[in-house]
Amino acid sequence: MANEGKLIIFSAPSGSGKTTIVKRLLAVFPRFEFSISATSRKPRGTERDGIDYFFLTQEEFARHVEAGDFVEWEEVYGGACYGTLRSEMERIWAKGNVIVFDVDVMGGINLKRIFGENACSIFIMPPSVEELRRRLEGRGTDSAETIDKRVAKAEFELSKAGEFDHIVVNDDLDTAVAETERIIGGFLASQR
Ligand code: ADP
Ligand code: 5GP
């Protein structure tokens, strides 16, 4: 890809606190920019198109797949597709910024495989599956059925943690953010 720069990849079972941690990091590192994914799921809560995701219909998503517009894409929870648009990565790198990804576990492994040394992949681990469920329930954005699906998938996702460059346990949020900052600081320093 033209203008290839650096990227930081976050993956975790849904509810681990990945989004919370990424938001904190974006406030600390001014040259970090979040890669806005495309998805075929509907917006929830306060989510806005072009800010949290590019919300597409199934048909629009399929057209981008056919056109080869995605660097990677996955059907994450039965029916809902999520993908990284090449155009989004090029837009961020063209500004000289570091791309921050919040992708599912298979997406994270694929991005690391594609971008190798330019990528730092971090797995955010919940303290336990029970706590993961509590956080999803506490977030109050998903139906009981959706929460069951996400928790069921967590076992598989946790088995993939070893394929990431780093694992951060998100028990105490401040500790997890500090640990993540330390890892990223080391990665950026090693790249100079
Ligand atoms: P993800 O992006 O991994 O799906 P979120 O960032 O949305 O997860 O976090 C899920 C819920 O857990 C949110 O309500 C968030 O406020 C809460 N949360 C995040 N980190 C912690 C933590 N360390 N301790 C307790 N609750 C947390
Ligand atoms: P949510 O519906 O909770 O926003 O996201 C569901 C899952 O999709 C999360 O694990 C999230 O990281 C993942 N996801 C979001 N964007 C992408 C993407 O572009 N590619 C892949 N592979 N997964 C994504």
Side-chain angles (χ1 to χ4, degrees), residues 140-154:
T141 52
D142 300 285
S143 67
E145 189 197 344
T146 303
I147 290 176
D148 283 346
K149 272 196 212 161
R150 287 172 187 238
V151 172
K153 199 174 174 204

Side-chain angles (χ1 to χ4, degrees), residues 2 21 27 30-31 39 46 54-55 61 78 85 90 92-93 100 104 106 114 125 139 144 164 172 175-176:
I21 291 173
R31 298 218 66 110
T39 182
T46 58
F54 298 112
F55 292 101
F61 198 98
L85 289 164
E90 283 169 347
I92 298 173
W93 276 339
V100 177
D104 88 311
M106 293 318 296
I114 296 167
M125 176 91 86
R139 189 167 71 184
F164 285 72
D172 174 67
T175 307

Side-chain angles (χ1 to χ4, degrees), residues 1 10 20 38-39 44 54 71 86 105 107 111 129 152 167 171 190:
M1 203 182 293
F10 288 94
T20 308
T39 182
R44 66 180 181 223
F54 298 112
V71 178
R86 199 176 303 278
V105 167
L111 286 170
V129 175
I167 298 174
D171 189 353
S190 74

Side-chain angles (χ1 to χ4, degrees), residues 159-174:
S159 75
K160 297 285 178 191
E163 297 191 32
F164 285 72
D165 295 332
H166 303 275
I167 298 174
V168 172
V169 178
N170 181 22
D171 189 353
D172 174 67
L173 181 60
D174 289 337

Side-chain angles (χ1 to χ4, degrees), residues 10-15 18-19 34-39 41-42 44 47 52-53 70 72-77 80-85 101-108 110-111 136 139 142 150 153 157:
F10 288 94
S11 297
S14 179
K18 192 168 35 74
T19 309
F34 182 60
S35 165
I36 302 167
S37 296
T39 182
R41 81 153 163 77
K42 299 266 178 294
R44 66 180 181 223
E47 287 178 336
D52 300 282
Y53 282 107
F70 288 114
E72 63 78 34
W73 70 274
E74 294 284 329
E75 187 176 323
V76 175
Y77 295 103
C81 294
Y82 298 79
T84 303
L85 289 164
F101 286 93
D102 171 343
V103 291
D104 88 311
V105 167
M106 293 318 296
N110 285 333
L111 286 170
L136 286 170
R139 189 167 71 184
D142 300 285
R150 287 172 187 238
K153 199 174 174 204
E157 293 169 319

